């Protein structure tokens, strides 16, 4: 048995998220049958984390154990031939048995993209951005985001989700920038609570729109209550960019 | 009666092109009923040119005559409220009675985008690019394109289309560049024959893939035969970028 690590990208629009669910089209639900077809055995996959319905990935990491004589480049081609076009296996490699895409992840980096077009949403970016009409002040958003850097209890940005041992996480980077009509939020952390990036994006939007002062975001965080923060931004603006692991010498 | 000029953008994926056709969803077929609803009268629209099914526009220009007391900003809002989200009216202005979006156009500029990802198509650009597996040499494509600059008979790049008075056109600019996996062709001319940009893109692809030498494109043009040139590239990579008119002081 070898342990394989995949790097995958997908357009989340037509997937009900990563996790296999009966009767629904999911990324795991497309990937695992393709692997079983190739290897002749069930190949349960672990992902770095679940992505929700509509959320995209450029660098989702997945691992699975399989017995196969195929070399990684052949396996890559076979997988892409058997999976739908809105899912692309970008790379594949063999990793040590101990590697686990979920448990071994050190940090994750997400991007949230806002279409800030004044007249209306860009028709060519509808599936991949959140349109916000009000002109956003990206410098204010970037400044506000500093209050979230470091190790904190982030339950103000967590959609209720039972069985969480702790809502303490460490945000390593949070930056907001603008290119033309597009406002981009990038955030990296050692882990994220349920809907956390989308709650941060919705809260930063309130600051950018001038509906809350820059200092409000730190207060919202300190209140330890979901009602204290802003709305949960919609899924189609969110991208899982990159996941890092302790020993990336073995990475694809 | 005032003469209005619109600047519009659309995602061509779900439109059967610009021109109204019975029973089919077209850009004109969405725009004209919205205008009629606002003005109370039929408002036949002229576009700078027809775009085909699947072809996108960032800067299509349209004009129509209407009696309305609405000022342009109000008309813009009303139109965007009544048209679907994959069509955006970006700007509107009042122009002299003599302005005609089709007949007054001086030059048009198109972009053709190729996804040249080695492993497979980028799942997030499927609707908006043409995926070509073979690594393309964009410098060779750019060099080959020079043979099309200037005034020539371009019937080698014209899908058969009766009633054309002439297939002579003047290409003012043709440039091929690469950013990462994306190869972009931009071409500007005083007018284009039917499927001309897509035939040029398909021909440039053959050069980029090393299947034809750089000098072949000029020979294909001089042969004055559609069979001499390359394939017609698919519509989803094509964007109408910009149209220029003689007196752009009046432009929106």
């Amino acid at each position: 048995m070898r342990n394989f690590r995949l790097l995958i990208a997908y357009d989340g629009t037509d997937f009900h998220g990563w996790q296999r669910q009966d009767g629904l089209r999911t990324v795991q639900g497309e990937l695992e049958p393709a692997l079983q077809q190739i290897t002749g055995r069930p190949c349960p996959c672990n992902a770095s984390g679940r992505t929700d319905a509509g959320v995209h990935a450029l660098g989702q990491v997945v691992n699975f154990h399989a017995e196969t004589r195929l070399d990684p480049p052949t396996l890559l081609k076979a997988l892409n031939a058997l999976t739908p076009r809105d899912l692309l296996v970008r790379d594949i490699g063999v990793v040590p048995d101990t590697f686990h895409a979920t448990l071994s992840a050190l940090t994750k980096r997400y991007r949230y993209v806002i279409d800030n077009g004044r007249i209306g949403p860009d028709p060519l970016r509808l599936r991949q951005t959140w349109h916000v009409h009000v002109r956003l002040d990206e410098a204010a958003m970037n400044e506000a985001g500093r209050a979230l850097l470091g190790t904190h209890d982030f339950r103000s940005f967590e959609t209720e989700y039972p069985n969480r041992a702790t809502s303490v996480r460490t945000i390593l980077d949070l930056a907001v920038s603008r290119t033309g009509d597009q406002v981009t939020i990038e955030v990296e952390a050692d882990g994220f609570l349920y809907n956390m990036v989308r709650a941060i994006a919705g809260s930063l939007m309130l600051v950018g729109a001038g509906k809350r002062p820059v200092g409000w975001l730190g207060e919202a965080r300190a209140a330890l209550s979901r009602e204290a923060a802003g709305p949960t931004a919609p899924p189609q603006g969110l991208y899982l960019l990159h996941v890092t692991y302790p020993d990336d010498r073995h990475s694809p």
Side-chain angles (χ1 to χ4, degrees), chain A:
Chain A
M1 293 281 270
R2 284 185 293 172
N3 190 11
F4 290 94
R5 170 174 165 172
L6 303 177
L7 183 70
I8 68 175
Y10 42 88
D11 178 338
T13 311
D14 298 328
F15 289 112
H16 290 265
W18 159 261
Q19 194 175 33
R20 183 189 278 278
Q21 294 172 72
D22 279 348
L24 294 179
R25 185 174 187 268
T26 68
V27 180
Q28 188 179 23
E30 295 289 336
L31 200 56
E32 290 180 349
L35 283 168
Q36 178 161 359
Q37 208 176 324
I38 294 167
T39 66
R41 297 267 175 108
C43 292
C45 288
N46 311 302
S48 71
R50 301 169 186 175
T51 52
D52 276 332
V55 174
H56 316 292
L58 301 179
Q60 171 73 287
V61 177
V62 169
N63 84 295
F64 62 92
H65 292 81
E67 274 183 69
T68 169
R69 287 181 184 157
L70 298 178
D71 60 353
T74 308
L75 195 51
L76 178 69
K77 277 185 196 163
L79 261 177
N80 279 326
L82 292 172
T83 49
R85 281 166 55 88
D86 51 354
L87 160 64
L88 178 70
V89 182
R90 295 175 54 194
D91 209 343
I92 185 167
V94 176
V95 286
D97 266 359
T98 52
F99 177 87
H100 188 291
T102 321
L103 304 176
S104 310
L106 282 184
T107 70
K108 284 181 206 161
R109 192 172 182 87
Y110 279 94
R111 178 182 292 159
Y112 197 94
V113 183
I114 298 174
D115 172 3
N116 198 208
R118 189 176 51 90
I119 304 294
D122 181 345
L124 288 151
R125 307 290 320 275
L126 287 178
R127 296 155 59 105
Q128 298 173 359
T129 58
W130 177 31
H131 181 255
V132 175
H133 252 103
V134 185
R135 176 78 182 189
L136 297 174
D137 178 344
E138 69 279 7
M141 294 165 76
N142 190 59
E143 177 65 25
R146 292 191 194 175
L148 304 187
L149 290 173
T151 304
H152 303 284
D153 186 330
F154 285 103
R155 72 179 66 178
S156 296
F157 306 95
E158 177 182 28
T159 301
E160 198 179 350
Y161 193 73
N163 305 322
R164 282 270 177 209
T166 169
S167 45
V168 173
R169 295 290 184 278
T170 300
I171 292 187
L172 303 157
D173 186 33
L174 200 170
V176 184
S177 60
R178 172 186 290 272
T179 307
D181 279 342
Q182 185 171 300
V183 173
T184 301
I185 301 163
E186 285 207 15
V187 56
E188 184 160 358
D190 64 347
F192 289 92
L193 305 168
Y194 187 56
N195 276 347
M196 180 168 155
V197 183
R198 290 165 56 188
I200 290 174
S203 302
L204 285 170
M205 180 277 289
L206 291 182
V207 173
K211 292 176 181 168
R212 299 284 188 282
V214 166
W216 165 78
L217 199 63
E219 294 165 22
R221 190 208 78 215
L224 301 181
S225 154
R226 184 67 192 85
E227 289 86 57
T232 301
Q236 79 274 7
L238 185 60
Y239 301 72
L240 173 57
L241 280 191
H242 185 73
V243 191
T244 57
Y245 291 92
D247 192 350
D248 271 341
R249 282 176 302 172
H250 300 286
S251 79

